[in-house]
């Protein structure tokens, strides 16, 4: 133990743990850090080596007996069945299943999606319903044969602290210097501060800012392997890390069909991993995201207010030197095209990920730090209960180039630093100005990139500054771009000039004296932009009447109806033969084609059945589809009419499509492992007529 270890163990007895113990156990297991430290705090809260060794053995034994590994699900279920009940450590999700009209728990590694759960558990722990929670959970076996489930949850305890005193936390902070506190925070996330330069320490602290400041918009782009996503995936149980593919407004913000708020209502921080891979099908998602990033509120029929911060992390594929000295590229290059200047302008802090060291065991600490969950509780308390913005506003003085969103972003960044590093009170003037300078730099990095993208001077005031203690104005620069002319003075092209820009456009690269590079060449004039999927098709749609002949290929639901769906919000399909499994599969594929039109909100199916139909199976299959569509904020209404015979698709934009055979016009493939088994456009068709014509809206 060094001096800081002795100090922190004395002040925060029982709230700290030796981080090398975590590193020892972490290898070879996919258990989140805060779960492991929960166990280490229980069994290894000592500085006696013999007790620690015994505690480690207890932790390993607990993991061996109670942690369910994904490949041991069958053994775990058998253990419950034979013993009657058993306690596990697992991640628990709770889902409402409409066809059953009840909630079911799903245990991730126990591998059961139909575990009965009492209302009190998900009522007291909302995050069970949104993303799930790691818990100590006692699973019991249901002996009642008439029930349709085998297991139920007898007891559940989220792996979090049961009590947290912010006053005690602040009293402990008051006994440490600012630099000691930075080192304690870094050791708490597993890093050894003695091996890091002060600026890198500040970068690591900055990664924590979205965890303490509400509605804080953060972005970090940089090389792979620097641990960008770790802070959001494992450090705090109040943060969730999602992939870009989940970026739907129903998942993130509000599901109109369920009348339920999305992830922003349940988590302190919603982080997007691999931000360049975000796929946005519905332009409304970005508009709602803009509203939420601006002020923490949005409207989707109801007014929703939430505190969640949004963090975006991703990778840069070009060197920073190339980018800042290029007239073509900017440091927002990896972002999806839907992230326009309005989204970028809402980022308060752009962390220079290229300055962060690569993950290495050399930077791991073997000293004491807070139990991860303890620090996470402190951050959660501050995000919900404390406000340092007014304190910063009264103390900070910014230069004339700082505009509205610049000021807000800078102040929120400084306020977040105060929450992390000075929870007990105000910093000195020197410390305060250090945070201001860092915040101004992080906001300038955002503004420089917007200025490169904009063809006019809307964002030209990039020389952001603050007034120091001596009353002098201090202009802050970003180290990577300070001497890059292409970033500081980007070329403005006259949009009214008839003369096309020279092509190819060459961007000179500069990365230091004596260093040369081949220029990046981009042939702008010869690179046509592909039309957006959300833009209307210019070709005027016409009525059509044609025959699909027996054995024809090249037809699919999407190719037939897709062009006629533009602007559609509601679709009604009448087809009496959506009964048996393969017909319902056809309808699922039809729905998959429809949902590619982002404006669709409702699908109405009118079908029928006869005496040979397995109505129970039909109902179950359609209910599963209905549930799946609800997750995409699309309502499926099903009506059964026993005497119908017509087949017709009506779209509320005025088009009607009649297919003589309805949806069932494909031949059964010769082999389910041959071409056409999955791609309908490659499958042979039965003969049928198709009529597409205008009608009045229904």
């Amino acid at each position: 133990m060094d001096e800081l270890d002795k100090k922190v163990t004395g002040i925060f007895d029982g709230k700290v743990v030796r981080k090398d113990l975590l590193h020892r156990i972490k290898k070879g297991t996919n258990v989140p850090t805060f779960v492991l430290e929960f166990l280490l705090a229980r069994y290894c809260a000592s500085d006696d080596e013999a007790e620690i060794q015994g505690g480690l053995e207890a932790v390993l034994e607990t993991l061996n007996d109670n942690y369910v590994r994904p490949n041991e699900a069958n053994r775990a279920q058998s253990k419950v069945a034979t013993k009657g009940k058993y306690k596990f450590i697992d991640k628990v999700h709770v889902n409402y299943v409409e066809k059953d009209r009840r909630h079911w728990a799903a245990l991730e590694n126990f591998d059961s999606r139909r575990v009965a759960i009492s209302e009190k558990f998900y009522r007291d722990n909302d995050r069970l319903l949104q993303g799930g929670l790691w818990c100590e959970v006692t699973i019991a076996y249901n002996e009642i044969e008439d029930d349709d489930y085998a297991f139920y949850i007898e007891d559940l305890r989220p792996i979090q602290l049961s009590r947290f005193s912010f006053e005690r936390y602040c009293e402990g902070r008051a006994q440490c210097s600012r630099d000691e506190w930075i080192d304690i925070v870094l050791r708490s996330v597993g890093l050894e501060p003695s091996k890091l330069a002060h600026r890198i320490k500040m970068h690591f602290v900055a990664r924590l800012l979205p965890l303490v400041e509400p509605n804080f918009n953060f972005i970090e782009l940089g090389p792979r392997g620097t641990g960008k996503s770790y802070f959001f995936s494992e450090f705090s149980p109040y943060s969730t890390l999602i992939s870009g593919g989940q970026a739907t407004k129903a998942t993130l913000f509000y599901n109109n069909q369920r009348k339920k708020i999305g992830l922003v209502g349940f988590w302190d921080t919603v982080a997007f991993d691999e931000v360049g891979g975000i796929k946005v099908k519905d332009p409304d998602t970005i508009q709602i995201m803009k509203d939420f990033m601006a002020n923490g509120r949005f409207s989707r029929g109801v007014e929703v207010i939430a505190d969640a911060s949004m963090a975006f992390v991703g990778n840069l594929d070009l060197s920073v030197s190339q980018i800042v000295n290029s007239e073509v590229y900017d440091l927002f290059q990896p972002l999806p095209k839907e992230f326009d200047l309005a989204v970028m302008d809402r980022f308060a802090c752009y962390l220079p990920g290229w300055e962060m060291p690569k993950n290495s065991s050399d930077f791991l600490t073997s000293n004491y730090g807070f139990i991860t969950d303890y620090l996470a509780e402190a951050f959660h308390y501050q995000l919900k209960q404390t406000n340092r913005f007014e304190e910063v506003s009264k103390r900070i003085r910014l230069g004339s180039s700082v505009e509205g969103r610049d000021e807000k972003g800078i102040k929120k960044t400084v306020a977040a630093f105060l929450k992390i590093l000075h929870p007990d009170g105000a910093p000195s003037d020197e410390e305060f100005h250090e945070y201001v300078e860092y915040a101004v730099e992080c906001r300038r990095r955002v503004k420089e990139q917007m200025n490169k993208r904009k063809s006019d001077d809307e964002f030209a005031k990039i020389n952001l500054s603050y007034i120091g203690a001596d009353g002098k104005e201090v202009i802050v620069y970003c180290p990577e771009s300070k001497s890059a002319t292409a970033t500081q003075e980007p070329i403005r092209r006259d949009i009214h000039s008839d003369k096309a820009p020279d092509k190819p456009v060459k961007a000179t690269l500069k990365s230091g004296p004596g260093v040369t590079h081949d220029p990046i060449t981009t042939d702008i004039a010869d690179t046509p932009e592909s039309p957006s999927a959300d833009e209307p098709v210019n070709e005027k749609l016409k009525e059509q009447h044609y025959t699909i002949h027996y054995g024809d290929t090249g037809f699919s639901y999407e190719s037939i109806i897709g062009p006629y769906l533009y602007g559609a919000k509601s679709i009604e399909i009448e087809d009496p033969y959506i009964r048996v499994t393969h017909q319902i599969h056809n309808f699922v594929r039809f729905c998959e084609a429809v949902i590619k039109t982002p404006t669709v909100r409702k699908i109405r199916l009118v079908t029928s059945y006869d005496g040979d139909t397995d109505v129970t199976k039909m109902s179950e299959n359609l209910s599963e589809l209905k549930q799946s569509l609800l997750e995409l904020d699309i309502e499926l209404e099903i009506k059964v009419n026993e005497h119908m015979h017509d087949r017709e698709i009506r779209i509320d934009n005025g088009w009607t499509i009649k297919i003589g055979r309805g949806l069932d016009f494909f031949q059964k493939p010769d082999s389910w492992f041959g071409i056409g088994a999955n791609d309908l456009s490659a499958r042979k068709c039965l003969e049928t007529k198709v009529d597409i014509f205008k009608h009045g809206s229904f």
Side-chain angles (χ1 to χ4, degrees), residues 466-523:
Y466 69 96
I467 309 302
D470 56 1
K472 294 181 180 179
E473 183 177 19
V474 180
I475 297 176
V476 181
Y477 293 90
C478 302
E480 72 277 358
S481 61
K482 184 175 182 179
S483 59
T485 304
T487 296
Q488 301 304 316
E489 300 174 12
I491 293 175
R492 303 289 191 215
R493 291 178 176 80
D494 186 356
I495 61 173
H496 301 292
S497 174
D498 293 332
K499 182 181 178 182
D502 295 335
K503 59 173 189 169
V505 177
K506 294 186 177 180
T508 305
L509 309 179
K510 294 182 278 186
S511 56
V515 179
T516 60
H517 298 271
D518 293 331
I520 297 174
T521 303
T522 303
D523 196 341

Side-chain angles (χ1 to χ4, degrees), residues 548-594:
I548 299 173
H549 296 285
Y550 185 88
D552 280 355
T553 60
F555 295 95
S556 66
Y557 304 128
E558 190 170 357
S559 68
I560 294 173
I561 69 169
Y564 296 89
L565 289 173
Y566 178 74
K569 295 181 180 179
S570 178
I571 297 170
E572 180 171 323
I573 175 169
E574 293 185 356
D575 190 328
Y577 296 103
I578 309 294
R579 305 174 179 175
V580 298
T581 300
H582 84 274
Q583 293 168 345
I584 296 175
H585 279 159
N586 287 337
F587 183 57
V588 170
R589 285 171 164 162
F590 173 82
C591 292
E592 289 174 341
V594 167

Side-chain angles (χ1 to χ4, degrees), residues 203 206-207 209-210 216-222 228 232 272 275-276 278 293 310-316 330-336 339 343-354 413 438 442-443 445-447 449:
H203 290 340
R207 280 182 172 174
L209 300 183
F216 185 81
N217 304 314
F218 170 91
I219 184 167
E220 179 185 353
L221 302 175
K228 294 185 291 292
F232 306 112
F272 297 84
V275 63
I278 291 179
M293 291 173 73
M310 304 198 86
F312 302 84
V313 296
N315 302 318
L316 286 174
D330 59 64
L331 291 171
F332 282 136
Q333 170 258 332
L335 297 185
F339 279 38
V343 175
M344 298 172 191
D345 199 19
R346 286 159 167 76
F347 290 130
C349 176
Y350 186 148
L351 186 70
W354 50 88
T413 302
Y438 188 92
C442 289
R443 175 59 191 178
R445 189 168 288 110
V446 173
K447 205 165 187 183
Q449 312 320 307

Side-chain angles (χ1 to χ4, degrees), residues 641-657:
N641 184 343
E642 296 183 26
H643 305 292
M644 66 173 294
H645 299 284
D646 291 339
R647 300 172 176 88
E648 188 170 272
I649 300 168
R650 293 195 296 275
I651 310 172
D652 68 346
N653 60 10
W655 288 101
T656 293
I657 300 169

Side-chain angles (χ1 to χ4, degrees), residues 103-123:
H103 290 78
W104 293 105
L107 276 72
E108 203 162 272
N109 293 342
F110 187 75
D111 197 24
S112 179
R113 299 289 178 269
R114 200 176 175 84
V115 180
I117 183 170
S118 171
E119 180 186 353
K120 66 177 182 178
F121 294 123
Y122 55 82
R123 186 185 61 225

Side-chain angles (χ1 to χ4, degrees), residues 148-165:
D148 57 350
Y149 60 90
F151 307 107
Y152 65 93
I153 291 178
E154 183 178 274
D155 192 27
L156 180 146
R157 178 188 178 192
I159 293 180
Q160 296 175 224
L161 293 179
S162 57
R163 291 180 297 276
F164 172 77
S165 169

Side-chain angles (χ1 to χ4, degrees), residues 207-436:
R207 280 182 172 174
L208 301 170
L209 300 183
L211 299 174
V212 295
E213 182 67 17
N215 305 129
F216 185 81
N217 304 314
F218 170 91
I219 184 167
E220 179 185 353
L221 302 175
R224 294 163 180 81
T226 58
K228 294 185 291 292
S229 59
Y230 167 82
F231 283 63
F232 306 112
S233 64
E234 297 205 12
F235 178 74
S236 172
Y238 295 102
S239 172
T240 185
L241 182 72
I242 65 174
S243 64
Q246 294 177 306
T248 66
K249 60 179 179 286
T251 302
L252 288 173
F253 300 110
Y254 193 81
N255 190 316
N256 276 331
Q257 304 301 332
R258 293 187 176 281
K259 309 299 181 188
K260 293 283 188 180
I261 193 170
L263 295 173
V264 296
F266 291 89
W267 300 92
D268 291 355
T269 307
V270 177
F272 297 84
D273 196 11
E274 304 293 351
V275 63
I278 291 179
K279 298 292 187 292
V280 182
K281 294 181 180 178
D282 189 341
D284 286 352
T285 303
I286 292 296
Q287 186 55 52
I288 294 171
M289 182 180 287
K290 290 176 187 175
D291 294 342
F292 183 75
M293 291 173 73
N295 52 33
R297 65 178 62 199
F298 60 89
S299 177
R300 289 207 69 204
V302 294
E303 186 78 11
V304 178
I305 302 174
D307 290 329
S309 294
M310 304 198 86
F312 302 84
V313 296
N315 302 318
L316 286 174
D317 293 323
L318 298 174
S319 76
V320 174
S321 176
Q322 287 178 315
I323 294 171
V324 298
N325 288 287
S326 166
E327 298 289 353
V328 179
Y329 295 101
D330 59 64
L331 291 171
F332 282 136
Q333 170 258 332
L335 297 185
K337 63 181 178 62
E338 292 85 0
F339 279 38
D340 57 15
L341 289 169
V343 175
M344 298 172 191
D345 199 19
R346 286 159 167 76
F347 290 130
C349 176
Y350 186 148
L351 186 70
W354 50 88
E355 295 185 20
M356 304 299 275
K358 289 275 189 178
N359 292 336
S360 169
S361 57
D362 294 340
F363 295 106
L364 298 179
T365 187
S366 59
N367 297 86
Y368 282 81
F370 286 125
I371 299 167
T372 301
D373 200 43
Y374 180 71
L375 196 57
E377 286 293 334
F379 289 173
H380 173 67
Y381 179 91
Q382 291 181 94
L383 183 138
K384 294 293 185 181
Q385 306 294 334
T386 65
N387 187 342
R388 307 294 289 273
F389 192 85
E390 288 303 315
E391 175 187 340
V392 172
S393 296
K394 292 176 181 178
R395 193 169 175 182
I396 197 171
R397 297 169 61 199
L398 299 170
S400 58
S401 293
V402 175
E403 299 171 305
R405 286 214 169 103
D406 303 328
E407 180 178 357
K408 181 179 178 181
I410 291 167
K411 288 180 176 179
K412 286 182 78 70
T413 302
V414 175
F417 269 111
L418 297 191
K419 288 183 178 182
I420 293 174
L421 300 180
H422 302 274
D424 59 318
S428 67
D429 285 345
E430 182 181 356
E431 292 165 345
F432 183 80
H433 287 114
E434 179 185 355
Y435 308 144
V436 171

Side-chain angles (χ1 to χ4, degrees), residues 519-559:
I520 297 174
T521 303
T522 303
D523 196 341
I524 292 178
D526 287 346
T527 308
E529 289 189 13
S530 58
S532 167
D534 300 322
E535 293 176 0
V537 180
N538 291 329
E539 180 184 356
K540 187 171 179 58
L541 295 174
K542 300 177 181 178
E543 292 190 354
Q544 295 192 60
H545 307 273
Y546 59 89
T547 298
I548 299 173
H549 296 285
Y550 185 88
D552 280 355
T553 60
F555 295 95
S556 66
Y557 304 128
E558 190 170 357
S559 68

